[in-house]
Amino acid sequence: MTLMNDKVHAYKDQIGELSDVLPGVVKAYHNFTGECFQSGAIDAKTKQLIALGIGLFANNEVCTFYHVEEARAKGATDQEIMETVAVAGAVGGGHALSQGAMRVQKALH
């Protein structure tokens, strides 16, 4: 967990520095994401699991660590988190397979 915490804290430190340069941008981003992650028709825990899946698909290490932490804080179990990993893997595999089936086969013909 130390690596995860170190990476998340380093990101937060860097956002703090960016805020010194672009305070309006950072404030707008935090306001936007804060609103997006509020419970609504989709509860906050599920939103964190969605973000985790997207972070994995995008290969974003900091987002992956951050959203695991946030999902747990919102009550996600280890099983729910690992099922999210599996779904992200299925989407990633499906993405490669569908593009291969469509683009590569088209390029071959």
Side-chain angles (χ1 to χ4, degrees):
M1 288 287 223
T2 303
L3 174 65
M4 182 172 91
N5 291 334
D6 290 348
K7 297 259 182 177
V8 171
H9 285 99
Y11 164 74
K12 289 179 179 180
D13 290 344
Q14 292 301 310
I15 287 295
E17 288 185 29
L18 181 61
S19 184
D20 293 340
V21 177
L22 299 169
V25 170
V26 173
K27 182 179 179 185
Y29 175 75
H30 284 306
N31 288 339
F32 173 70
T33 58
E35 186 65 29
C36 289
F37 281 95
Q38 293 296 313
S39 287
I42 300 172
D43 63 272
K45 177 181 81 173
T46 302
K47 289 181 178 186
Q48 289 299 329
L49 293 171
I50 291 167
L52 171 59
I54 293 168
L56 288 166
F57 184 79
N59 196 29
N60 186 320
E61 183 181 46
V62 172
C63 281
T64 299
F65 290 152
Y66 179 82
H67 292 294
V68 165
E69 188 177 280
E70 288 297 309
R72 278 191 163 153
K74 303 289 189 266
T77 65
D78 288 354
Q79 184 67 30
E80 289 171 318
I81 290 168
M82 291 311 297
E83 286 184 21
T84 299
V85 170
V87 170
V91 170
H95 175 73
L97 186 61
S98 69
Q99 294 310 301
M102 305 268 308
R103 291 182 185 170
V104 174
Q105 289 187 115
K106 187 175 183 178
L108 292 174
H109 296 357

